[in-house]
Amino acid sequence: MIALPPPKADVMARRDEILAGLCALIPGDGVITEALRLRPYETDGLSAYRQPPLAVALPTSTEQVAAVLRFCHENGVRVVPRGAGTSLSGGALPLADAVVIGLMRMNRILDVSFPDRLAVVEAGVTNLGITKAVEGEGFFYAPDPSSQLACMIGGNVMMNSGGAHCLKYGVTANNLLGVKFVTIEGEVIEIGGGHLDAAGYDWLGLITGSEGQIGIVTEVTVRILRAAEGQRAMLAAFRSTEIAGAAVDAIMGSGVIPVALEFMDKPCIHACEAFAHAGYPLDAEALLIIEVEGSGEEQDVLLGRLRAICERFDPISMRVAASAEESMAIWKGRKGAFGAVGRISPDYLCMDGTIPTSELPHVLRRIGEMSEACGLKVANVFHAGDGNLHPLIMFDANDPASFAKAETFGADILKLCVEVGGCLTGEHGVGVEKRDLMPVQFTRPELAQQRRVKEAFDPEWLLNPAKVFPLEGKLAPAPH
Amino acid sequence: MSAEAGSRIAPADEAGVAAAVAAAHAEGVPLALEGRGTKAAMLRPVQAGRTLSLRNLTGITFYKPEEMVISARAGTPLAEIEAALAERNQQIGAEPPDLRALLGSGEATTGSLGGTVACNLSGPRRVVGFALRDLVLGVRFVNGEGEVLRSGGRVHKNVTGLDLCKLLSGSHGTLGVLTEVTLKVGPAGERTATLVLPVADEAAGVAALSSGLTSPYGVTGAAMLPEGASAAGVAGPVALLRLEDVEASVTYRMARLGAALPGGRVVEGEESRALWRAIRDAAPLAAAAGEAVWRVSVRPSMAPGVVVALRARIGARVMLDWGGGLVWVAAAATAEAHSAVMAAAAGARGTFTLFRAPDPMRVSVPVIPEEVPALAALSARVKAALDPGGRLNPGRMRAGL
């Protein structure tokens, strides 16, 4: 288990006073303090970790967020920002002495401009909610994390979320024009807006993916894009992961970059097929789902080229969708992958390393060996075009030994990702989950430099403590 | 290491850069940083006793076309990288400009990779694709104390830790000395073609560009040459919409685009490429010697108003890119003209950069917008976090920073 810092004794001693102060800042039912009502906030998508907070604040405006932060800063109270609580890395895990600032009540769409191709939304608008607001005019918001039905744009900004289609359209950072954020002192700062590339330091780039370490985002200006005329998928199944990996390299080097290029290994294919009956070939060792965009005739041209590339790698089978319905059928298994694995195992850990795509066969072989050695099954699903690997490690949360083994296995996979030239996390964030692995990827001076940048915004380490950075300094565990 | 005031150091490797920065830090000597010196005329002049040149840190260190990744040392000319990419039909998606002519540089080759990233310079494709900073997958750099550090890496998706790659991109050498940069690259379109559409004025031009950019046809360039401006044989006032893709797509989409926006003609191939090179480098602005040049970035729909105001107030000449969102402005190098540009950018809730001006003007006006006090305090704290002695490019972006 990963350690959390000890609660601040002075804060715990002044609990009632602090709660009364908070309640005065947000009228009505905007502050939760009763144990039973705090329960839903005690964890996020990394549900193996649970810790009820001191309180939950549910502001309805940037001004209220600023008031809460100013109050917490003055009183030395730690804060944990939270969107929908879908973080898979424990990014929204509370601390016993912290106030969770939940942004779900800030869910208004403030402005949409089709000629300027942008939308201004509050942080608690869901990812899919943005697309829903603009799709009537043929537009969409591009980053599409698996949790897009629930996850909120504020959380997407904090974690720099990705998705299956970022191969073409980029991740959250590449689709933002501006944010309004609040510093720990309660200062409201606007960055960017409707224009591209503000002069001055790239605050927008720094805050995106900062995991709540430097401020809380309350408003976001996103780029919206006109959707292509249509999209269509194909499926190609191969007899080994090496061959499928070589096919991925050939596709990426061909000059035709698909909008999505997904890879599943055999355990994942079987789990998905049993769950979704998508017609996946069960004798394949690896399967690629490839999607292209454009008009019908453009799709034919692109799929024809991709088919010809795949044919060079002796596929077991190929299926090119002839219609939108057939595309949906091809995607059905992949989109249900997490649920499918959840059905065959009581619990799973979803890992998120990135590797250079050429290392794919090597990494999958090593993961297979580790799986056998520790006795836990693993299914691999992978955004192959950009090297973002999602091994799903199956374990039983009721068995502490099984969980410990799963965590060790996961850490070993991430160390392997770094060893082959990749990184600890491609889109889920470091959070609490990968915090103690940071020294695997960064040298001590590199981490110290990042800490100094964080401290420029939050010298007291009140913003989302115990995430991202190994516990040191103001967060160091109490000596035994 | 010691050096006389006004001296120039050009280390042969990263260790030499680190030693030079550590020495400057220890001795309290400000350092002016320089890649290949092509952008010295940008922003504010740096007052420094020593110049640290990255000119000798050259060479591509890693290139995997099938992974769409290239790394090179910071002093490598952009032209060298682009040539290597072109051999494999790839390109830097952000289309960074070659500003030698605009900035009056006599360098024989293009600016450096490190310098271009430090300025976060992107060309026409920015409007639909990514800024150069979006393509920076990893950097090696030396901080103000002389430590060699890395951020990012060589993979496309990486959210591990704070993104110092983006912080350093566009920081104009005030936070660290880039020594090596890894970029995401992509395929060059098999075919390129441009719809040249005569328009009455900027309002009509921006409307046409917006129609193109809100179509499903994958426009990759949207610029406007006003009346009196010309490039590669195309004379304004015209709106220009570019397509770059596989052969069949460009054929199909250009037909659809032409049908949606009738009355234009299509230029293809090298003619189209020359046109967009000129736009990328702001050549159609034809800024005269002694004139100041600004880049104003606004919501595209605000651009026509900005243009009308600047023509009326200071007799500005302009050129539009990024669907109208980027307004290049040339006018007399006066404080009055600068005030007008600042007011126009602020009125449109946009941003500006004084790109080029005589030295007395560059030191006496804010060359980029002032920050609100809370943000200015953060700028100073972040600067101190990376360069505690304030040695790196002091005053380049703002007086006193």
Side-chain angles (χ1 to χ4, degrees), chain A residues 110-144:
Chain A
L110 303 174
D111 184 22
V112 173
S113 168
F114 296 106
D116 287 335
R117 306 169 296 281
L118 61 84
V120 185
V121 303
E122 289 185 325
V125 173
T126 63
N127 173 292
L128 201 58
I130 301 176
T131 291
K132 290 280 175 212
V134 300
E135 68 185 0
E137 301 283 327
F139 282 74
F140 71 113
Y141 172 64
D144 60 339

Side-chain angles (χ1 to χ4, degrees), chain B residues 97-381:
Chain B
D98 174 3
L99 298 174
R100 281 175 296 164
L102 184 73
L103 296 174
S105 161
E107 268 291 307
T109 185
T110 57
S112 67
L113 172 64
T116 308
V117 168
C119 298
N120 185 27
L121 290 168
S122 312
R125 221 175 278 117
R126 169 65 177 119
V127 66
V128 285
F130 304 143
L132 186 59
R133 62 84 135 152
D134 292 300
L135 305 178
V136 177
L137 299 178
V139 295
R140 292 178 67 90
F141 70 101
V142 176
N143 69 9
E145 294 180 88
E147 293 179 304
V148 177
L149 306 173
R150 303 160 304 155
S151 183
R154 55 162 279 211
V155 288
H156 287 225
K157 268 165 97 179
N158 184 348
V159 296
T160 322
L162 294 181
D163 191 346
L164 302 186
C165 295
K166 291 204 176 63
L167 185 61
L168 288 167
S169 304
S171 70
H172 297 275
T174 62
L175 299 178
V177 187
L178 296 172
T179 54
E180 187 172 338
V181 176
T182 300
L183 290 182
K184 170 183 180 169
V185 297
E190 286 174 6
R191 181 171 163 204
T192 176
T194 300
L195 179 65
V196 178
L197 191 69
V199 288
D201 56 16
E202 280 69 30
V206 170
L209 299 180
S210 184
S211 295
L213 289 165
T214 54
S215 78
Y217 305 126
V219 166
T220 69
M224 183 188 163
L225 300 179
E227 181 151 21
S230 68
V234 173
V238 286
L240 305 167
L241 289 162
R242 176 176 64 179
L243 298 179
E244 301 168 290
D245 213 315
V246 298
E247 186 77 35
S249 282
V250 171
T251 304
Y252 164 81
R253 292 176 182 184
M254 188 52 87
R256 301 297 294 257
L257 201 57
L261 293 165
R265 68 187 175 95
V266 177
V267 300
E268 301 256 358
E270 188 45 43
E271 201 183 346
S272 172
R273 276 188 282 274
L275 178 60
W276 287 97
R277 269 198 303 276
I279 290 163
R280 181 193 73 182
D281 302 342
L285 197 59
E291 272 189 319
V293 172
W294 296 261
R295 257 168 53 137
V296 177
S297 181
V298 293
R299 272 170 89 134
S301 57
M302 304 297 270
V306 167
V307 170
V308 167
L310 290 177
R311 278 194 183 128
R313 281 195 61 185
I314 57 171
R317 277 171 301 107
V318 302
M319 190 192 95
L320 304 183
D321 196 356
W322 298 355
L326 176 62
V327 186
W328 284 97
V329 180
T334 63
E336 185 204 356
H338 190 66
S339 299
V341 171
M342 287 199 296
R349 301 192 65 219
T351 185
F352 70 88
T353 302
L354 175 59
F355 231 68
R356 176 189 109 175
D359 278 1
M361 181 170 167
R362 299 204 279 153
V363 294
S364 62
V365 299
V367 296
I368 57 177
E370 308 271 20
E371 291 177 323
V372 297
L375 199 53
L378 287 173
S379 279
R381 271 142 64 177

Side-chain angles (χ1 to χ4, degrees), chain A residues 50-399:
Chain A
R50 288 172 193 275
Q51 171 61 59
L54 194 67
V56 174
L58 300 173
T60 55
S61 67
T62 298
E63 291 67 33
Q64 286 187 355
V65 172
V68 171
L69 282 171
R70 204 175 301 123
F71 175 83
C72 287
H73 182 243
E74 282 164 5
N75 288 280
V77 179
R78 294 165 171 165
V79 295
V80 174
R82 182 182 177 102
T86 55
S87 171
L88 292 167
S89 61
L93 178 70
L95 297 170
D97 61 349
V99 173
V100 167
I101 299 185
L103 296 166
M104 56 284 272
R105 291 189 177 175
M106 295 184 63
N107 56 4
R108 291 176 303 163
I109 291 175
L110 303 174
D111 184 22
V112 173
S113 168
F114 296 106
D116 287 335
R117 306 169 296 281
L118 61 84
V120 185
V121 303
E122 289 185 325
V125 173
T126 63
N127 173 292
L128 201 58
I130 301 176
T131 291
K132 290 280 175 212
V134 300
E135 68 185 0
E137 301 283 327
F139 282 74
F140 71 113
Y141 172 64
D144 60 339
S146 300
S147 55
Q148 67 178 154
L149 189 63
C151 67
M152 294 170 184
I153 188 67
N156 288 181
V157 172
M158 291 284 88
M159 306 309 274
N160 194 11
S161 305
H165 290 80
C166 47
L167 185 54
K168 175 168 181 186
Y169 294 110
V171 295
T172 303
N174 313 128
N175 286 278
L176 299 181
L177 290 168
V179 293
K180 187 182 274 188
F181 79 98
V182 188
T183 67
I184 186 65
E185 288 99 349
E187 296 276 0
V188 178
I189 295 180
E190 283 190 63
I191 303 298
H195 54 282
L196 292 166
D197 299 348
Y201 290 152
D202 187 1
W203 302 118
L204 191 56
L206 182 65
I207 202 163
T208 307
S210 64
E211 305 197 24
Q213 295 297 309
I214 66 181
I216 296 186
V217 168
T218 58
E219 224 176 88
V220 186
T221 305
V222 299
R223 285 156 62 116
I224 52 171
L225 305 176
R226 176 68 193 263
E229 287 184 82
Q231 50 274 319
R232 202 138 46 95
M234 66 174 279
L235 175 158
F238 299 92
R239 44 191 101 247
S240 79
T241 54
E242 281 84 357
I243 293 172
V248 168
D249 270 4
I251 290 167
M252 297 302 289
S254 75
V256 175
I257 306 301
V259 264
L261 177 51
E262 298 284 299
F263 184 114
M264 297 160 75
D265 73 353
K266 188 167 197 168
C268 193
I269 297 167
H270 280 246
C272 291
E273 182 58 22
F275 182 60
H277 309 292
Y280 292 167
L282 294 174
D283 52 343
E285 288 293 329
L287 186 151
L288 298 180
I289 295 174
I290 313 166
E291 185 171 274
V292 300
E293 283 184 345
S295 65
E297 53 190 286
E298 289 179 281
Q299 294 167 14
D300 287 341
V301 170
L302 297 174
L303 289 169
R305 284 201 199 184
L306 291 164
R307 194 188 165 98
I309 293 169
C310 289
E311 260 160 12
R312 288 174 11 216
F313 297 90
D314 190 23
I316 292 173
S317 65
M318 279 202 288
R319 198 165 99 209
V320 177
S323 63
E325 291 70 34
E326 288 185 29
S327 284
M328 297 258 287
I330 286 175
W331 273 108
K332 192 175 160 202
R334 164 62 186 92
K335 296 216 161 159
F338 291 7
V341 171
R343 216 178 61 135
I344 58 172
S345 170
D347 301 279
Y348 65 86
L349 282 180
C350 175
M351 308 310 292
D352 170 51
T354 306
I355 58 170
T357 51
S358 58
E359 296 288 342
L360 173 62
H362 167 68
V363 167
L364 288 182
R365 195 163 50 244
R366 289 280 302 277
I367 290 176
E369 290 162 8
M370 292 177 194
S371 165
E372 271 186 34
C374 77
L376 292 179
K377 284 197 216 159
V378 61
N380 287 291
V381 52
F382 182 60
H383 304 307
D386 45 37
N388 190 193
L389 190 65
H390 292 312
L392 305 174
I393 300 172
M394 297 170 235
F395 73 101
D396 180 358
N398 290 323
D399 172 6

